[in-house]
Amino acid sequence: MNTLVVFYSLEGNTKIVADILAEELDSDCIELKPDKEIPKGGFTKFFWGGKSILFHEKPNLLNDLPDIDEYDTIFIGTPIWASSYTPPIASFLEKVSIKGKKLALFACHAGGGAEKCFEKLKSALSDNTIIGTISFTDPAKEEKEKIKAQLKHWLHEIT
Ligand SMILES: Cc1cc2nc3c(=O)[nH]c(=O)nc-3n(C[C@H](O)[C@H](O)[C@H](O)COP(=O)(O)O)c2cc1C
C-alpha cells in the first residue's frame, strides 16, 4: 500500500494530526501552502477565512504537486471553516485529479461542523472509496499521546 497524507493547517492543529498519521503510516506527507496566507490568531482570521469560503476561493499553492498515480490510499486533512473544508484543499482537488483511490478524511474544528465538512468533501471526491473519517476538537489543546492513541485505534479499524 502506497499512502499519501495531504493537509492544510493555519494554526497547527491539523498539522499535529497529519504528522502523527504520516509517522504511523510511514507515508509521504504534503503540507499545502497557499501563496497568500490569511492572518493567524486574533479575530481577523474569521473575517478573511469566512470570506474565502463564501467566495469559494482557490488560492495558488506554493507546493510541487505529487504524481497521484503513485498512491492508492490518500489521507486528506483540513481545519473546518464555516462547516466546510479550506480553500487550499479546494485548490488541491482542482489541480490534482483524484479518482479510484481509497480516501480517509480528517478534520479539526473548535466544536462543530465536521459532518457537513465531510459531506462536502465526499461529494467533491465522489469517484473514490471513503474508508474512514475522523475529527478532533482543537487537538493542540490536548495531550499528544491521547490524540496518537485515538489515531492508532482509527488506523487499526480502517487499514
Ligand atoms: C475562518 C475560520 C472559520 C472557522 N469555522 C469553524 C466552524 O465552522 N466550526 C468550528 O467548530 N470551528 C471553526 N473554526 C475553528 C477551526 O476549525 C479550529 O480551530 C481548527 O482546529 C483549526 O485548525 P488549524 O490549527 O489546523 O488551522 C474556524 C476557524 C477559522 C479561522
Side-chain angles (χ1 to χ4, degrees):
M1 179 171 98
N2 214 1
T3 303
L4 174 68
V5 174
V6 58
F7 73 100
Y8 168 71
S9 181
L10 177 68
E11 294 186 304
N13 288 277
T14 315
K15 182 171 168 53
I16 288 173
V17 178
D19 286 347
I20 295 171
L21 284 172
E23 192 184 326
E24 291 297 320
L25 292 160
D26 194 21
S27 71
D28 292 346
C29 185
I30 299 174
E31 178 172 7
L32 299 176
K33 292 285 182 191
D35 60 351
K36 278 185 200 152
E37 191 67 278
I38 70 163
K40 295 180 200 204
F43 199 73
T44 51
K45 68 182 178 192
F46 294 110
F47 173 78
W48 291 109
K51 176 184 151 295
S52 72
I53 295 293
L54 194 63
F55 291 100
H56 302 285
E57 287 176 9
K58 293 192 184 84
N60 288 323
L61 298 175
L62 299 176
N63 309 77
D64 291 331
L65 295 172
D67 178 0
I68 215 73
D69 292 339
E70 285 181 18
Y71 303 100
D72 53 33
T73 306
I74 306 171
F75 285 67
I76 300 174
T78 181
I80 292 172
W81 285 5
S83 302
S84 191
Y85 54 92
T86 42
I89 297 289
S91 302
F92 183 77
L93 299 186
E94 186 179 70
K95 291 259 178 266
V96 176
S97 171
I98 302 180
K99 290 196 169 111
K101 307 289 181 188
K102 284 186 274 181
L103 302 182
L105 310 176
F106 60 100
C108 294
H109 56 81
E115 287 314 314
K116 276 190 183 167
C117 172
F118 289 143
E119 284 314 313
K120 287 173 191 170
L121 268 176
K122 283 177 190 173
S123 99
L125 290 158
S126 56
D127 295 330
N128 300 275
T129 305
I130 307 294
I131 58 171
T133 62
I134 193 167
S135 62
F136 292 89
T137 308
D138 288 339
K141 293 180 185 160
E142 301 282 342
E143 290 287 323
K144 193 175 167 193
E145 286 310 311
K146 190 178 148 197
I147 304 298
K148 199 172 190 171
Q150 279 177 263
L151 285 170
K152 277 186 172 182
H153 180 75
W154 182 57
L155 288 175
H156 186 70
E157 275 181 355
I158 66 168
T159 54

